[in-house]
Amino acid sequence: MFELRQDELHSAFGDPVLGSIGFLNEIMSRYPDAISFAPGAPHLTFLDNFDVARHIDTWIDHQVTQRKLSREQARRLLYEYGPSRGLINELVADALRRDHGIDAGPDAVVVTVGAQEAMLLTLHALCAGPGDLLAVVDPCFVGMRGAARLLNVNVVSVDETEDGVDIDGLRTQCRAARSRGERIRALYVSPDYSNPSGSLTSLGARRRLLALADQEDLLLLEDGAYGFTAPPGEEIPPLKALDTEGRVVHLGTFAKVCLPGTRVGYVVADQLIRTSDGGRRLLADELAVSKSMVTVNTSPICQAVVGGMLLEHGGSLKALAQRKSELYRRNLALLLDALDRHLSPEPGQPQAVSWSRPAGGFFVRMRLPVPADAALLETAASDHGVLWTPMSQFYESGKGENELRLSCSYLEPDRIEEGVARLAVFLRKEVGSGRPSGTRTAPPCR
Ligand SMILES: Cc1ncc(COP(=O)(O)O)c(C=O)c1O
């Protein structure tokens, strides 16, 4: 049998960042009865009564009434290849304007196969040469680091502060890159309850980041995946809504506000490009061209499902996301409450483990006094029936070895309670948390 050698394939294979999702799936499949705080999966309640046919019909009706197509013509749009740019661009652009103050026309939107494809296409377009670097916040969503690895884009990491990216650190990195003859072309940033750390970037820090992008001549690739989970009244405008200079490319996904299985995302790229013949195009035009060589177009059927769902909520992303946002915040509150009850130390005793207290998003970050590595995870799964995600895989710099990520988006309240009870027993036994003496302590966690 003919065999291929791994060292003759792309060097990304074998990189742990590409294997991180597989690693978690593998351990979850070996311990099906464990309560897993690992995946940021949707809650099952949103899968019940998910009426694909009705959503598609809603979208078809809209084509008939708004675009004056016959029913047959509208249906054919679903069954054929479609424009690379997408079919629901206008709906997406309108919703982004109305709900988030992002003022970009449908021609600046490309509908992609998840936010993942949007990341890949954008990086591919922007990082043209070996000296074009991507900066990421440490820790960072593996999807972006994996895309960079596939495209041979070199990555530099910038620390995270209480208020998102360390802006002074980013400035230093930009200057250091220039002195080496390289440039930081873009920073990937997830300002709303980021995955994995759950951090939130304040309005002031968003404005400072935009100013820095202008001063240091870089783009901001903003991932808005978890913005919909902000508590009412605490929403902060996306970077793209604050962007007066065209510095922000906004990446979005319907994975959390509809369902991941739709595989529909989008990119808003309204940057003007001067072409060699003196013409002008949008970055979105170029992304649509490259998309035509990657996935050709995003499934029209899936776009119609998402479009129909949007239309059934008055074309509003906020209305579409409202029930999900409420349920995910409820779960987060239950998780934080259970952690307080099960893991707070006795009065006068040191805090052995610490954890973050995000107001939204899917993720709580916990810090242990010992490495939260694969061996410890195996013990948690086999001896205590509880799973979590080691954070070190999210760090570019190799830090985070004592941290783990807890996610509770898809769990029922009683499973959250039981899972935290198991976690507490595990931590007491294996880590020493909560013991009256000999307790090792972890530094505080944001
Ligand atoms: C930060 C972030 N961006 C985007 C996504 C979703 O990407 P996609 O639309 O490709 O499913 C996720 C999903 O986990 C995420 O955590």
Side-chain angles (χ1 to χ4, degrees):
M1 182 73 164
F2 172 65
E3 285 187 358
L4 288 163
R5 284 177 32 199
Q6 187 174 24
D7 62 4
E8 289 178 339
L9 302 179
H10 192 286
S11 63
F13 298 113
D15 188 312
V17 75
L18 264 69
S20 51
I21 292 168
F23 162 73
L24 284 177
N25 288 341
E26 188 271 328
I27 193 156
M28 279 170 57
S29 70
R30 274 194 292 122
Y31 298 100
D33 295 329
I35 296 179
S36 178
F37 290 108
H43 196 278
L44 285 180
T45 196
F46 302 121
L47 274 54
D48 298 338
N49 311 320
F50 188 75
D51 192 343
V52 172
R54 189 186 82 224
H55 301 318
I56 291 179
D57 277 347
T58 305
W59 186 80
I60 289 177
D61 287 347
H62 183 74
Q63 304 309 301
V64 172
T65 53
Q66 297 295 309
R67 293 187 53 205
K68 311 291 177 220
L69 298 184
S70 70
R71 208 152 265 286
E72 184 49 34
Q73 283 170 322
R75 252 202 301 270
R76 257 211 314 241
L77 284 178
L78 302 185
Y79 300 152
E80 295 178 355
Y81 291 111
S84 293
R85 183 181 291 282
L87 281 180
I88 57 168
N89 309 48
E90 209 163 306
L91 283 173
V92 172
D94 286 351
L96 288 174
R97 178 177 301 107
R98 178 181 322 160
D99 293 324
H100 299 299
I102 293 177
D103 191 15
D107 52 344
V109 174
V110 180
V111 182
T112 52
V113 180
Q116 188 62 37
E117 190 192 22
M119 292 177 202
L120 201 86
L121 296 177
T122 308
L123 262 190
H124 173 260
L126 295 177
C127 293
D132 288 337
L133 311 177
L134 171 73
V136 299
V137 184
D138 221 17
C140 169
F141 176 52
V142 286
M144 191 48 145
R145 282 177 48 225
R149 193 70 187 83
L150 281 184
L151 293 170
N152 297 326
V153 172
N154 290 321
V155 172
V156 296
S157 63
V158 185
D159 284 342
E160 195 174 49
T161 69
E162 300 270 327
D163 204 359
V165 57
D166 173 0
I167 293 177
D168 291 335
L170 177 59
R171 183 180 293 110
T172 305
Q173 293 266 23
C174 287
R175 293 178 183 175
R178 269 201 297 279
S179 71
R180 297 192 301 268
E182 299 174 325
R183 65 171 170 173
I184 294 185
R185 186 72 160 124
L187 168 78
Y188 167 74
V189 60
S190 187
D192 302 293
Y193 313 110
S194 67
N195 179 5
S197 74
S199 73
L200 177 71
T201 304
S202 68
L203 180 60
R206 290 177 200 220
R207 292 197 196 284
R208 287 193 290 282
L209 196 51
L210 284 161
L212 182 93
D214 227 24
Q215 287 155 13
E216 300 295 335
D217 192 20
L218 68 139
L219 287 151
L220 303 176
L221 312 185
E222 174 184 44
D223 185 336
Y226 298 99
F228 75 99
T229 61
E234 292 182 29
E235 300 95 344
I236 304 176
L239 286 162
K240 186 68 192 155
L242 303 167
D243 174 29
T244 52
E245 305 299 322
R247 288 286 170 186
V248 181
V249 176
H250 184 83
L251 311 166
T253 177
F254 284 97
K256 312 291 169 184
V257 295
C258 292
L259 283 177
T262 60
R263 301 307 302 133
V264 177
Y266 53 89
V267 49
V268 181
D270 58 357
Q271 286 70 23
L272 273 177
I273 297 171
R274 256 176 284 121
T275 58
S276 46
D277 60 1
R280 299 182 117 195
R281 289 163 65 76
L282 293 179
L283 178 57
D285 297 324
E286 304 298 7
L287 299 182
V289 169
S290 52
K291 180 176 167 64
S292 73
M293 292 294 140
V294 181
T295 52
V296 183
N297 59 270
T298 302
S299 157
I301 295 174
C302 292
Q303 291 186 72
V305 171
V306 166
M309 287 180 85
L310 255 179
L311 288 162
E312 287 160 18
H313 291 84
S316 161
L317 276 166
K318 265 193 187 151
L320 175 61
Q322 189 182 341
R323 269 185 61 227
K324 296 192 172 71
S325 170
E326 284 167 6
L327 187 142
Y328 292 138
R329 273 200 311 282
R330 178 206 72 181
N331 273 13
L332 190 59
L334 290 172
L335 174 61
L336 290 171
D337 177 63
L339 290 172
D340 283 343
R341 282 184 287 103
H342 288 280
L343 282 170
S344 290
E346 296 296 320
Q349 296 299 322
Q351 180 88 36
V353 298
S354 59
W355 57 91
S356 60
R357 310 197 69 84
F362 284 17
F363 309 109
V364 169
R365 166 155 70 175
M366 180 172 276
R367 205 164 271 154
L368 309 184
V370 298
D373 55 17
L376 196 66
L377 177 59
E378 194 72 42
T379 305
S382 62
D383 297 2
H384 302 276
V386 63
L387 286 163
W388 34 266
T389 307
M391 279 282 280
S392 53
Q393 61 187 313
F394 298 112
Y395 279 84
E396 184 69 21
S397 60
K399 295 182 200 156
E401 64 160 8
N402 285 21
E403 296 175 12
L404 58 89
R405 188 192 74 177
L406 299 174
S407 167
C408 61
S409 51
Y410 77 108
L411 293 172
E412 292 298 341
D414 60 332
R415 299 292 280 170
I416 296 175
E417 181 66 25
E418 169 65 19
V420 173
R422 292 184 190 183
L423 190 69
V425 173
F426 153 71
L427 289 171
R428 276 196 195 94
K429 178 152 190 292
E430 311 295 340
V431 177
S433 146
R435 282 190 184 156
S437 60
T439 304
R440 290 162 288 181
T441 57
C445 205
R446 292 190 295 273

